Amino acid sequence: LGVLPRTQKALATLQPGEHKRLMNPYSRLNQAIQNVRSTLYLANQSRHPKTLLVTSALPREGKSTFAMWYATFCASTGKKVLLIDCDFERPKIHKMLGVANDKGLINVFADNLDVKNVIRDDTKRGISFISAGSGHGNASKVIESSKMQDILDTLAWDYDLIVIDSAPVLALTDAHIIAKLVDSTVFVLQWRRTRRDLAVAAARRLESIDVTSLGGFILTQVSPSKSAGVIGYAPYTSQDTGGAFKRYVRRLTGRDPSPESTRMPPRIEA
């Protein structure tokens, strides 16, 4: 589906600089997210999935960061977006947003709360969200598909897009349940870290239970300098003039680009 460029550190939140990069139409990050969005649109019969599950094969591959980035980007296009944290073992969405995790989705299941009572808004990013919640030891056993389906059906009336951050497929069964209820499921894999056999095993595990929503894979933490030409068109933008662009052209042609070729063309407004 796409590749996401390496960040300087594993992000726990969208810091001001990263948020600016995400909103900058000439940045690698913005172009990468746009590519993912376009591919999902085309793969889903020219309409964007209403419900999108973001999972991974293993922990610490960047799925929560991607879920946050994607939800924020889609909200910036005018969509009404809800981000749900379904990773009950390692919830991160509340940490990214700097809020307490005192109530959330698990409390809807275990304490029979109305799902609309656990929705909160983040005005900075323009999204609504539901944290994982707390207060229950083995939260994964509380999830059951019929009630989750009812929750998603209820929320779908109020939101254009629902992004769900779930536990890794090879770690817990939560993603197995949710993947059968959503329009599309994407796997987030970390470049040069996730073993190919584990990525394939995770995908086959979902296929083995007749999951038909598998949309594709997304590579995270890809080094632009070691994968020139892969991440969007960023080598052609002004932020890389004299750097990655020259290395990119040198790799293709064996010589440095002319000074004229490194100049940014004027932007034409539609």
Side-chain angles (χ1 to χ4, degrees):
L1 289 175
V3 294
L4 301 183
R6 175 176 295 170
T7 54
Q8 293 181 353
K9 61 180 179 179
L11 295 177
T13 181
L14 268 176
Q15 299 295 342
E18 294 300 325
H19 190 272
K20 185 176 180 180
R21 285 178 57 203
L22 182 60
M23 296 299 109
N24 178 7
Y26 289 119
S27 72
R28 289 192 181 99
L29 181 57
N30 183 283
Q31 291 171 8
I33 297 293
Q34 286 191 59
N35 288 341
V36 172
R37 183 169 177 263
S38 298
T39 305
L40 284 172
Y41 177 86
L42 295 172
N44 200 46
Q45 299 180 344
S46 296
R47 66 182 183 89
H48 195 281
K50 183 88 169 183
T51 50
L52 177 68
L53 174 65
V54 180
T55 187
S56 60
L58 301 169
R60 303 176 67 87
E61 297 196 81
K63 64 177 180 59
S64 298
T65 299
F66 169 74
M68 178 67 74
W69 277 347
Y70 195 76
T72 303
F73 175 82
C74 290
S76 73
T77 66
K79 300 295 184 182
K80 191 176 182 182
V81 180
L82 176 68
L83 176 60
I84 304 178
D85 194 343
C86 283
D87 190 343
F88 302 115
E89 294 299 318
R90 294 185 178 182
K92 290 185 178 179
I93 298 302
H94 70 285
K95 295 179 181 178
M96 293 180 175
L97 298 174
V99 299
N101 190 32
D102 52 346
K103 64 177 182 178
L105 186 63
I106 193 61
N107 303 102
V108 175
F109 285 96
D111 301 330
N112 204 31
L113 294 181
D114 187 328
V115 66
K116 294 187 177 181
N117 290 336
V118 298
I119 297 176
R120 288 178 276 183
D121 297 319
D122 183 270
T123 56
K124 176 183 175 182
R125 297 165 181 83
I127 64 173
S128 299
F129 67 95
I130 299 176
S131 63
S134 62
H136 298 276
N138 196 344
S140 296
K141 290 186 177 180
V142 180
I143 289 288
E144 55 97 4
S145 60
S146 60
K147 187 165 184 176
M148 188 66 188
Q149 182 68 75
D150 291 341
I151 289 173
L152 292 178
D153 289 344
T154 299
L155 296 173
W157 286 97
D158 298 323
Y159 294 93
D160 301 313
L161 171 64
I162 301 172
V163 180
I164 304 170
D165 176 24
S166 180
V169 169
L170 298 181
L172 296 169
T173 60
D174 298 2
H176 302 62
I177 296 173
I178 301 171
K180 301 192 77 168
L181 308 177
V182 298
D183 296 329
S184 186
T185 298
V186 298
F187 272 96
V188 174
L189 310 173
Q190 186 169 324
W191 187 57
R192 291 190 172 182
R193 178 180 179 271
T194 308
R195 284 169 33 192
R196 183 183 300 236
D197 60 328
L198 294 178
V200 172
R204 286 179 175 171
R205 183 168 295 186
L206 292 186
E207 290 177 344
S208 69
I209 57 173
D210 298 324
V211 169
T212 59
S213 64
L214 186 58
F217 298 89
I218 296 170
L219 287 179
T220 64
Q221 296 293 313
V222 178
S223 171
S225 62
K226 296 180 180 178
S227 59
V230 175
I231 305 177
Y233 289 95
Y236 298 102
T237 66
S238 59
Q239 68 182 27
D240 293 311
T241 299
F245 176 81
K246 289 184 178 180
R247 291 193 296 272
Y248 176 72
V249 174
R250 191 182 301 120
R251 183 176 298 180
L252 293 180
T253 65
R255 61 178 184 272
D256 289 332
S258 63
E260 290 77 12
S261 64
T262 62
R263 296 173 183 168
M264 277 290 293
R267 185 175 180 181
I268 301 175
E269 301 291 345

